[in-house]
Amino acid sequence: MRQMAAPSGRAPRPGSRTGPAAKARGKAEPAARAQHFIRPRSYAAIDLGTNNCRLLIARPQDGELVVIDAFSRIVRLGEGLHASGRISEAAMDRTVAALAICADKLRRRHVTLSRAVATEACRRAANGAELAERVRRETGIVLDIISPAEEARLAALGCHNLMEPGEGPALIFDIGGGSTELMHVDVSDHDVKIHDWTSVPWGVVSLTEHAPLPEDSLAGRQAAYAHMREVTRAAFADFAGRAQKFAGQPLRLLGTSGTVTTLASVFLNLPRYDRRAVDGLVVPADAMREISRRLADASMADRAEIACIGRERADLVVAGCAILESIIDLWPAARVGVADRGIREGILRTLAMQGRDVPVTRREYRS
């Protein structure tokens, strides 16, 4: 899927009567018959997660989907959910405000087909359906609260073409705000088949709230990180047992989430996040482990000083590191592929298939 800046200006009007050629025809020549403008088909995908609200709008062009508009905002929908079991009014307000912006973009871009999905926070919250109804009433967007299986399918469909080439068993993982999905897959240039999968209710928000990191003690931070690792190791235990049959084989591993893109940015020492540098990158697994442990030892103030983490991610990134290390434990690949794409791209591809504009999914793995 190709990124493209939003077009500016207007297309020339067919049959225009301005310019030298039109004047030469003279006043007696009948006006050219008006031609109807056919607007290109466009699709939109909204992914409302436990931490972020994201939108992509794309249209088919030359056999692939070209992104013409995008939006992302941290809404912290799952803030406090682990303790209360409910989405707070403040989180609802932030979410509705973000989705109102999305709804305005859908109208201005004349979107033909769209789908908006909500994931773990809305699945878990006692008032998830209440939020969906408020969103429908105030923005017109109909939220589909999807199952973990559908979440895994869409994530795999959206990023599978970045899987490192090879014959070894392949795993795609998606570390979200409220849950993490693991998918053992077969990947071809144009499709992905899920052989086995699991979803656990631990993401960067839920795990951070379960095991908060103390600010005043390195030993305390290390103990909290060790606890996070134990929690996630236990959650993945059944899947890890099934993965034992691949021991000794050359494994392939691809991650889609803010965790892996953030750690890839730290690996590259980027002054600010750059999707073009990160999407499709492959990082040694040992380097991911070293960065994870360094961030776990650092205070939140020190993490916030790292340019590509900043204040918005400084409190949540350590939980993502703990989850990532547990994934590498059970699937010890030599390298970790990084994808800045996932559920939204999976939705767009599904919509394009419904609209009979099936995009070519080109392999974009970079060595």
Side-chain angles (χ1 to χ4, degrees):
M1 191 172 296
R2 189 153 54 90
Q3 301 286 324
M4 185 172 108
S8 61
R10 297 180 179 176
R13 291 180 300 150
S16 171
R17 293 184 58 82
T18 61
K23 292 177 181 177
R25 290 194 294 267
K27 295 183 178 180
E29 182 182 340
R33 179 174 296 178
Q35 298 181 19
H36 294 290
F37 171 68
I38 300 176
R39 191 183 302 279
R41 195 189 308 266
S42 58
Y43 306 103
I46 296 173
D47 172 18
L48 177 60
T50 302
N51 197 45
N52 287 6
C53 175
R54 297 184 177 97
L55 163 73
L56 278 184
I57 302 176
R59 69 165 62 109
Q61 180 176 305
D62 300 328
E64 62 180 334
L65 288 178
V66 177
V67 174
I68 59 172
D69 208 344
F71 172 76
S72 179
R73 176 173 292 180
I74 293 177
V75 295
R76 303 256 173 164
L77 180 62
E79 189 173 59
L81 177 62
H82 182 73
S84 69
R86 296 181 61 83
I87 299 169
S88 70
E89 287 298 320
M92 283 195 182
D93 290 344
R94 292 192 296 266
T95 300
V96 171
L99 288 170
I101 295 172
C102 294
D104 182 61
K105 286 180 175 289
L106 297 184
R107 287 188 292 269
R108 289 192 289 108
R109 292 293 187 181
H110 304 283
V111 168
T112 309
L113 286 174
S114 67
R115 187 184 185 193
V117 303
T119 54
E120 182 67 14
C122 286
R123 284 196 296 262
R124 188 185 303 181
N127 57 344
E130 178 185 326
L131 171 64
E133 172 55 27
R134 180 178 167 187
V135 168
R136 184 200 62 78
R137 187 174 63 250
E138 297 187 23
T139 72
I141 291 173
V142 178
L143 277 179
D144 182 7
I145 302 175
I146 59 174
S147 68
E150 176 69 354
E151 183 175 357
R153 184 187 75 85
L154 290 172
L157 186 63
C159 72
H160 74 273
N161 60 317
L162 292 182
M163 179 65 71
E164 184 175 2
E167 299 299 323
L171 184 79
I172 295 175
F173 65 90
D174 181 4
I175 303 173
S179 68
T180 296
E181 284 69 45
L182 309 179
M183 296 82 76
H184 167 218
V185 299
D186 266 348
V187 174
S188 70
D189 284 347
H190 302 292
D191 204 3
V192 57
K193 181 179 181 181
I194 299 176
H195 289 301
D196 190 11
W197 71 280
T198 192
S199 177
V200 301
W202 297 112
V204 297
V205 176
S206 55
L207 189 57
T208 299
E209 293 189 352
H210 174 73
L213 296 169
E215 277 300 294
D216 57 352
S217 165
L218 172 59
R221 289 194 293 272
Q222 291 174 335
Y225 187 69
H227 179 55
M228 288 179 177
R229 297 271 280 112
E230 285 298 324
V231 168
T232 52
R233 186 180 296 114
F236 292 140
D238 288 345
F239 189 91
R242 300 195 296 273
Q244 282 298 311
K245 62 186 177 183
F246 303 121
Q249 298 186 43
L251 303 176
R252 295 177 290 159
L253 185 60
L254 174 66
T256 168
S257 71
T259 295
V260 291
T261 56
T262 298
L263 267 60
S265 300
V266 175
F267 174 76
L268 294 174
N269 197 28
L270 297 179
R272 64 186 63 82
Y273 185 73
D274 182 351
R275 182 186 188 274
R276 294 170 298 178
V278 168
D279 187 48
L281 185 70
V282 177
V283 180
D286 287 346
M288 286 294 206
R289 284 194 188 273
E290 188 277 329
I291 294 168
S292 294
R293 292 171 186 177
R294 176 155 48 93
L295 294 178
D297 284 351
S299 69
M300 186 163 72
D302 288 340
R303 294 193 300 272
E305 288 297 315
I306 299 173
C308 46
I309 294 178
R311 296 177 60 185
E312 285 191 327
R313 295 185 180 275
D315 60 336
L316 301 179
V317 68
V318 174
C321 292
I323 297 169
L324 174 60
E325 280 213 79
S326 294
I327 293 170
I328 296 173
D329 286 345
L330 70 88
W331 200 270
R335 295 167 294 280
V336 180
V338 179
D340 185 353
R341 61 183 75 185
I343 290 175
R344 293 173 302 167
E345 287 80 3
I347 293 171
L348 287 175
R349 187 167 183 220
T350 302
L351 293 176
M353 293 169 70
Q354 292 175 9
R356 301 186 185 278
D357 290 309
V358 184
V360 174
T361 306
R362 294 177 177 149
R363 184 174 295 283
E364 297 179 51
Y365 161 81
R366 300 202 314 267
S367 59

